[in-house]
Amino acid sequence: MYIQTQFVLALIVFLELKRREKGRLESFTRMTKVYPNASFTGRVPPCKAEMEEVMTVWKKSLIFNCNGFTVFDGKGDLLYRVDNYMEGNKGSILLMDANGKALLTIRRKKMSLGLGDNWLVYEGEETKAIPRLSVKKSLNIFNNKCLAYVTAGESDGRNNKTMYEIEGSYSRRRCAVLDDRRRLAAEIKRKEGGRGVAFGTDIFRLVVQPNNIRTDFAMALVILLDQMF
């Protein structure tokens, strides 16, 4: 009788474990339909806020007696630098990585017929190839929210499809870069220190959505806004 009782108890425990295992498998199956790369540990992909890249931009060169920009990533490591920058620069502006390698070259192009100036963004130090981006200051007096338009390649100023539109106020360091579907691609924000103490306009944040824009492109747009305004 004792042996039979023990057998029944063992069978009940076994069936309960099987039931729980089935429930976990069903739960995992549902999760993998939503998150195909999720592991059995139950970890889910990071939320949107965790996918952002938050950078601190300092309008100052690390080289003595030079104007420029210094950009740090979220960990405080040097990410980008600009050491040959001047307002109204008529030559080329180089956006470099932490080691001084040129990532992008920015050049200003004069437009005719009162169309305003155009800024071209090239990969690396190449300025003879087709530019990756063309940026034009908005002259539309009926849309004072828009600061600039970004198109692919070398824009003729009229017919190219807009890739990004920049809205807001650069002087207040409050700007949004929106893609062609009006999705947020990047933001320029005032940076605050401890206890809510705000920095000046020379130190601010650049928050980038990497799925919608390259981080170096976003920094190039910051440089161009500084040229325009």
Side-chain angles (χ1 to χ4, degrees), residues 37-120:
N37 296 323
S39 66
F40 192 69
T41 60
R43 296 178 63 186
V44 297
C47 65
K48 182 178 180 180
E50 293 174 335
M51 295 171 65
E52 294 178 341
E53 292 196 27
V54 181
M55 294 169 276
T56 297
V57 181
W58 186 20
K59 193 182 170 185
K60 184 176 179 64
S61 171
L62 294 178
I63 296 179
F64 178 72
N65 228 11
C66 253
N67 294 319
F69 286 91
T70 303
V71 185
F72 301 93
D73 64 16
K75 298 179 181 178
D77 296 326
L78 181 61
L79 183 62
Y80 301 127
R81 46 188 274 211
V82 178
D83 296 326
N84 66 328
Y85 177 82
M86 290 187 299
E87 288 85 350
N89 195 313
K90 295 182 180 180
S92 298
I93 301 173
L94 296 180
L95 175 64
M96 301 177 287
D97 65 11
N99 297 317
K101 178 184 176 182
L103 302 175
L104 298 172
T105 298
I106 301 170
R107 297 199 71 178
R108 189 172 187 171
K109 180 180 179 182
K110 289 286 186 179
M111 302 291 286
S112 60
L113 302 177
L115 295 175
D117 291 348
N118 216 27
W119 283 265
L120 305 177

Side-chain angles (χ1 to χ4, degrees), residues 14-211:
F14 174 77
L15 292 174
E16 178 63 15
L17 290 174
K18 292 290 289 182
R19 185 186 67 80
R20 292 183 181 181
E21 182 68 14
K22 181 180 179 182
R24 283 198 295 269
L25 288 173
E26 289 175 348
S27 177
F28 174 69
T29 301
R30 287 194 299 270
M31 183 174 66
T32 52
K33 288 180 179 178
V34 180
Y35 307 111
N37 296 323
S39 66
F40 192 69
T41 60
R43 296 178 63 186
V44 297
C47 65
K48 182 178 180 180
E50 293 174 335
M51 295 171 65
E52 294 178 341
E53 292 196 27
V54 181
M55 294 169 276
T56 297
V57 181
W58 186 20
K59 193 182 170 185
K60 184 176 179 64
S61 171
L62 294 178
I63 296 179
F64 178 72
N65 228 11
C66 253
N67 294 319
F69 286 91
T70 303
V71 185
F72 301 93
D73 64 16
K75 298 179 181 178
D77 296 326
L78 181 61
L79 183 62
Y80 301 127
R81 46 188 274 211
V82 178
D83 296 326
N84 66 328
Y85 177 82
M86 290 187 299
E87 288 85 350
N89 195 313
K90 295 182 180 180
S92 298
I93 301 173
L94 296 180
L95 175 64
M96 301 177 287
D97 65 11
N99 297 317
K101 178 184 176 182
L103 302 175
L104 298 172
T105 298
I106 301 170
R107 297 199 71 178
R108 189 172 187 171
K109 180 180 179 182
K110 289 286 186 179
M111 302 291 286
S112 60
L113 302 177
L115 295 175
D117 291 348
N118 216 27
W119 283 265
L120 305 177
V121 180
Y122 300 86
E123 292 279 3
E125 293 187 73
E126 180 61 60
T127 59
K128 294 183 180 179
I130 297 175
R132 292 300 306 274
L133 300 176
S134 178
V135 185
K136 182 175 174 55
K137 183 177 180 179
S138 174
L139 302 176
N140 187 349
I141 61 175
F142 300 105
N143 184 8
N144 53 17
K145 287 197 310 180
C146 181
L147 301 178
Y149 298 99
V150 184
T151 57
E154 186 167 2
S155 172
D156 60 9
R158 294 177 179 176
N159 300 320
N160 291 54
K161 181 181 178 182
T162 300
M163 289 177 60
Y164 301 104
E165 186 172 323
I166 307 173
E167 297 181 350
S169 170
Y170 180 71
S171 62
R172 296 180 181 179
R173 302 301 189 259
R174 294 177 183 173
C175 298
V177 180
L178 307 173
D179 69 9
D180 58 349
R181 296 169 60 184
R182 303 292 295 175
R183 296 176 303 184
L184 184 64
E187 286 182 283
I188 296 172
K189 297 181 176 182
R190 296 290 294 269
K191 182 177 174 65
E192 293 187 353
R195 299 181 180 179
V197 177
F199 290 92
T201 56
D202 283 352
I203 299 176
F204 53 94
R205 289 190 185 279
L206 176 61
V207 183
V208 179
Q209 308 293 335
N211 289 336

